[in-house]
Amino acid sequence: MNRLEGRIALITGAARGLGARIAERFVEEGADVIVNDLSLSAAEKTARRLGGRAVAADVSDPASVAAMFESVRTMTDRIDILVNNAGISGIEGDNDAQERIRLRAEAMARGEEPPEELDGGIAEVTDEKWRRMLAVHMDGTFYCCRGTVPLMPDAGAIINLGSIMGTFGRGGGLAYCAAKAGILGFTRALAHELAPRNIRVNAIAPGWIHTDMTDPLAPLHPMLEMQTPMGRMGEPDDIAWCAVYLASQEAGFVTGQTLSPNGGWYMSQ
Ligand SMILES: NC(=O)c1ccc[n+]([C@@H]2O[C@H](COP(=O)([O-])OP(=O)(O)OC[C@H]3O[C@@H](n4cnc5c(N)ncnc54)[C@H](O)[C@@H]3O)[C@@H](O)[C@H]2O)c1
């Protein structure tokens, strides 16, 4: 308790999922949270529940992020902690992907080779899908760091959400893997730049965690559990506690690192 007492944290994509749980644990540890999401009403709902404040922005849009920081500046003159959590899987509302997930699960249950990659393979990845994925994850992380650093006092902390897909890589998620790997490289470079100010920049690369993002993969959950040495998928708290650690002074000598809570699914960074 009180590990983040008096600290002001901006968390992107925090209306639900991992971001919302990170915000909740931050509040329990004494932080004031500013909840960002695409929809102001969704962000406000979570912020109200946690006693925090809300700002809307599409993190992939530089004008939208600039407007968000205008609002943030009316709320506070500093941000001690930034969590770049906003993200997409790329299969939201994609019925073809749903069908591929179903076929893949059925084939694997029969012990057969899976029929095709979840994104349909590289020839099926459109410019639009590729750009959107990189824009939300990589551009969004960059824009929010650029907006925050001038407001961040020494001894601040930045946490960027990567993924095991950015370290391990996997067919069927080309754009997602590329975006998450890019975030890890960006994290290390920014950690170097900000170390003289004692601002720490780290990444969390979660394994498979139960959230709305992984719900559409439900037919594959049994296989993911089997592939995970700890025999289960993760829960949002498995990530939130890592974020609390990395944001706190307990991690005062930790920078440029990737912490990967994944139940042993991938054991090397
Ligand atoms: N759930 C997992 O298994 C898992 C694994 C590895 C990494 N991650 C990463 O963790 C982060 C959170 O994932 P989650 O599982 O909580 O997902 P989620 O879909 O439950 O929540 C993501 C949130 O981000 C918001 N968002 C999406 N695009 C946005 C944008 N352009 N601007 C602002 N907000 C935006 C959504 O509205 C949503 O509230 C993501 O970066 C994701 O890639 C998740």
Side-chain angles (χ1 to χ4, degrees), residues 13 16-18 37 57-59 85 87 162 176 180 206-207 209 211 213-214:
R16 71 178 197 193
L18 302 184
D37 215 292
D58 177 344
V59 297
N85 165 83
Y176 187 82
K180 290 304 196 183
I209 314 295
T211 66
M213 184 180 275
T214 50

Side-chain angles (χ1 to χ4, degrees), residues 8 34 53-55 68-78:
I8 298 173
I34 303 174
R53 288 166 287 188
V55 281
M68 174 177 81
F69 279 102
E70 287 299 310
S71 300
V72 166
R73 280 173 191 273
T74 66
M75 298 172 179
T76 173
D77 58 2
R78 65 173 219 276

